[in-house]
Amino acid sequence: MAVLDENIPVFHYFEQLTQIPHGSYNEKELANYLEAFAKKHHLEYKRDGMDNVVIYQKASQGYEEKEPIMLQAHMDMVCAKAPSSKHNFASDPLELHIENGWLYANHTTLGADDGMGVALMLALMDDENVKHPDLVCVFTVQEEAGLYGAAGIDPQWLKAHRMISLDGETFGETTISSCGGRDVILTKPLRRVANHHDVYKMAVKGLKGGHSGDAINQERANANVLMGRILQHLMAKGIKYHLVDIKGGEKPNAIPVYATCLIATDTDITDEVINFFTSVKEEYQFSDEEIFVEVENAISDFAYSREDTWNIVNAIFLAPKSVQAYSPKIDHLPEYSLNLGVVYIENDELTLFWSLRGTLKSERDYMSNQLASLSALLDFEMTSGGEHEGWSYDPDSPLRDAFEKAFHDMFDVDMCEIATHGGLETGIFKGYDPTMDIVTFGATALDIHTENEHMNLSSLKDAYRFLSYFLGTL
């Protein structure tokens, strides 16, 4: 039974998306859905080997001579959940519920980023009453993994020089620039040793997390970084231990909300860890007031060598973290930052995964080089990828001017222009076509990339109503 009102097309399509697993690299079923949509509506479409999909809709009568416009959204979502959740993002539909006009999933991300944009495009193409020029509707994959879908699409498919990116997350805001990014991964094979010591499991929980572009300037706690501080504190106290396991975070571009670690030692660490964490917790009394640590006994017949343990702890503890510098021009906008989003051991190999963001390539190089030096000193291997450039502010944008005027005409309020520290696919599309005139838009979603992600339903209806009106003004 549907949770949302199926008589509202944009709601219908959004709920349909939530029933189709579509995390990054798992978009095939959703691409199948989009292909079926195109066939059902007798629309020309293209699909590549990555599962990017472009659907073309001819102009409404009387709009045939108008310049085409491209609408764009990414179809993948960040798959994050509460530690207690049993949800399988590879196969399970999301469980939805409404609270006070906001749509939530059950202890998982909702996929409003960017299911809102996908649903808006589908509803627009399905509405015969919407007047519009030729539409080029672009659905990309692997945005959350590093903008790979946009980077891999055939630019010849993008038959427009005007673009509305539907990856906005606050109704009434339009983004005017975005940040470049890069992924950096450090790996290290580990040497097992037999364990004859007691084992303790530590868990850092209760963090707020958030998108590492949008929320990193709020100085929220990073569970992986906190675990590194605990481990280093134990070493500084002279407590000898071996690492058994460590795991934290779900995605490199999400601030991790949990981390667990097992260590083998003859010292009861319970009081030491709790007392230390109590003092550290004061640092986050305004950003993460509900953080806590748990310590319990565990069992393991193996551990990792003291040398490996030492190197791992130092790598996590010494690595630069969070915002490195703020913009000298825009208040509280990060200039460059890095987020240790994922830490795990698999098949006796440790992986540390950072998401780096910087307006300039030189800033991203600086942070990469810091991690490269750390990697060399501590005997890690380093790889990098997911490089993408930012999108610079264009002071002369006829599309943005028309968009903001139409928004004021409909809602009698001015649209707010913002710059973002997040990476957007707009930078890639602008690189394909430097003449591309771009505006961004979306409904309102909060706490994206976290288990508490929620979307304002009224704003989604208003976003659809505005787009329907604006396309008719072009």
PDB file of all heavy atoms in Angstrom, residues 144 187 321:
ATOM      1  N   GLU A 144      27.341   9.920  -6.290  1.00  0.00           N
ATOM      2  CA  GLU A 144      27.769   9.879  -4.901  1.00  0.00           C
ATOM      3  C   GLU A 144      29.112   9.178  -4.733  1.00  0.00           C
ATOM      4  O   GLU A 144      29.789   9.346  -3.715  1.00  0.00           O
ATOM      5  CB  GLU A 144      26.711   9.191  -4.033  1.00  0.00           C
ATOM      6  CG  GLU A 144      25.330   9.831  -4.076  1.00  0.00           C
ATOM      7  CD  GLU A 144      25.288  11.194  -3.405  1.00  0.00           C
ATOM      8  OE1 GLU A 144      26.348  11.685  -2.969  1.00  0.00           O
ATOM      9  OE2 GLU A 144      24.189  11.769  -3.321  1.00  0.00           O
ATOM     10  N   THR A 187      45.907   1.970   1.817  1.00  0.00           N
ATOM     11  CA  THR A 187      45.717   0.559   2.162  1.00  0.00           C
ATOM     12  C   THR A 187      47.003  -0.011   2.738  1.00  0.00           C
ATOM     13  O   THR A 187      48.103   0.474   2.442  1.00  0.00           O
ATOM     14  CB  THR A 187      45.299  -0.274   0.934  1.00  0.00           C
ATOM     15  OG1 THR A 187      46.303  -0.145  -0.085  1.00  0.00           O
ATOM     16  CG2 THR A 187      43.962   0.183   0.395  1.00  0.00           C
ATOM     17  N   LYS A 321      42.342  16.721   9.139  1.00  0.00           N
ATOM     18  CA  LYS A 321      40.920  16.408   9.191  1.00  0.00           C
ATOM     19  C   LYS A 321      40.083  17.667   9.051  1.00  0.00           C
ATOM     20  O   LYS A 321      40.539  18.774   9.325  1.00  0.00           O
ATOM     21  CB  LYS A 321      40.556  15.729  10.509  1.00  0.00           C
ATOM     22  CG  LYS A 321      40.757  16.585  11.752  1.00  0.00           C
ATOM     23  CD  LYS A 321      40.390  15.850  13.031  1.00  0.00           C
ATOM     24  CE  LYS A 321      40.602  16.719  14.270  1.00  0.00           C
ATOM     25  NZ  LYS A 321      39.727  17.892  14.318  1.00  0.00           N
TER      26      LYS A 321
END
